Amino acid sequence: MASTLWPVLEPFPDAPSALARAREIARELADWASGPTARMKPVTTAEQYAYALSAFDTAPARIYGNRAEPGVGPRLDELRRRTVVTFDSEKPDSWFAGYALLRPDLIDLWPLPERLTLTLDSTAPFGDPSSEFDPDCGEEELDDMVSVLGPLSLDVDWDCGWRGLSEFKDCGVQLCLNSVWTQQIAVPSPGEFGVWISLGNRIAWTTEGENWRRDCGLSLGEPQQGW
């Protein structure tokens, strides 16, 4: 079921301050909160790629897409020509997934075509290259991610049981680091940091939900649909 998200109207100059505020809100307003779920966003700009190269050296990054999409095939062929791509399957079909090494001679390929995706979600501390990506992490792991985030984008959420509400399905805190919430997803936007609170739609627009938002002590912006 979808939820509704409201932005917390406070300035967040950097990722650590936004993370600290998200945790504070959950601690002060919720009876319980789940562990964080963190999702890396694609490396979409030359600035992000240059940072990833300097911070993670030649670590393997995940790459995936559909070579039938516009621009993807030629760019993938160029990556293969430069011998930096290893596919999960020996002979991938139009849909492919694999690993790409970060190398200085690749920066001229950015930005990548829209449907060709490279992420660091299998690169420590964001993930483990020897296992499937798992978005669930511990709070210490999240601290490690934020400490090396730079201009990379990370989307984090905690499920919460808001104190005073009888319904907690799809309620929680959403943290957008170097990203913004739009059209039900967080999209990369380096330099922007935001904290959102969410209420499931079964209670968001009831009198109980409206009273909770009024009395929670947070200055909230206009609502948007989320998950």
Side-chain angles (χ1 to χ4, degrees), residues 2-5 181-185 201 205 223-227:
S3 62
T4 305
L5 289 86
W181 194 267
T182 178
Q183 297 181 348
Q184 297 190 343
I185 59 172
N201 284 341
W205 304 109
Q224 289 183 252
Q225 284 301 298
W227 294 103

Side-chain angles (χ1 to χ4, degrees), residues 51 55-56 120 123-126 142-152:
Y51 173 78
F56 304 103
L120 296 177
T123 302
F126 305 111
L142 180 56
D143 285 332
D144 290 341
M145 294 179 194
V146 171
S147 71
V148 298
L149 189 65
L152 302 173

